[in-house]
Amino acid sequence: MTSSAYASHPIDPERMPWIPMGRPGLAFKPLRFFRDGSGWMYLFRLEPGTRIPQHRHTGETHAFNVSGRRQLLDTGEVIGPGMYVYEPPGNVDSWQVVGDEPVVLLINVKGAIEYLGEDGQVLKSVSSADRLETYRRWCQEHGAEFLATCE
């Protein structure tokens, strides 16, 4: 078929600025949002010393370390450039950036990310719709072109 639905949709992340994600030390470049709200794919940048608190994935997550190093706090493992981490649905973890270099990850998230309190209660849930809204709002506020693809 020759329909545009079957055409490639390249994205050049170099044309996209790092979009702040709320608290200092976190930024992203969204690449794709799945139209059905099932997930998103993005480049995630974290500054040295940044810690990701305990969270649970409601769907599977795939994370490829592009640069920098991060330590999985539950196991002590250090994930460096070129390493890949698969997180199955229900996985609970926390991690932090180690060393003097920012970490950049290529992440594909299915489902939502639930940030947990000390008793395991959900303090905050982040979905692809939340990330899409963050990106749309940033583009509008800064007069920037919307470059991510939406399935």
Side-chain angles (χ1 to χ4, degrees):
M1 299 183 95
T2 59
S3 170
S4 64
Y6 296 100
S8 298
H9 299 279
I11 302 283
D12 182 1
E14 292 297 318
R15 291 185 51 215
M16 188 182 291
W18 287 103
I19 312 300
M21 292 177 76
R23 65 187 181 105
L26 306 175
F28 76 120
K29 291 185 179 191
L31 302 174
R32 185 163 187 78
F33 295 97
F34 301 107
R35 187 183 346 231
D36 61 3
S38 67
W40 69 101
M41 180 172 278
Y42 63 109
L43 289 170
F44 188 23
R45 180 184 168 110
L46 302 97
E47 297 304 318
T50 302
R51 181 182 174 131
I52 298 299
Q54 190 172 56
H55 60 282
R56 176 176 45 232
H57 297 274
T58 65
E60 66 182 20
T61 297
H62 303 267
F64 178 81
N65 250 62
V66 176
S67 62
R69 296 178 331 128
R70 62 189 178 113
Q71 182 177 30
L72 306 179
L73 298 177
D74 304 318
T75 65
E77 292 175 89
V78 174
I79 310 301
M83 294 181 73
Y84 163 81
V85 176
Y86 169 72
E87 299 179 47
N91 182 66
V92 174
D93 69 321
S94 61
W95 50 274
Q96 72 180 27
V97 178
V98 294
D100 298 330
E101 181 183 357
V103 164
V104 175
L105 303 165
L106 173 63
I107 301 181
N108 183 355
V109 174
K110 292 293 195 171
I113 301 170
E114 298 175 329
Y115 292 91
L116 306 174
E118 290 182 22
D119 297 334
Q121 75 275 21
V122 177
L123 302 175
K124 179 181 179 183
S125 182
V126 178
S127 68
S128 64
D130 297 324
R131 287 291 176 244
L132 177 57
E133 178 56 29
T134 298
Y135 180 51
R136 279 199 172 125
R137 186 173 49 247
W138 190 92
C139 287
Q140 289 171 349
E141 290 172 359
H142 294 87
E145 181 181 1
F146 187 98
L147 296 174
T149 62
C150 292
E151 180 181 295

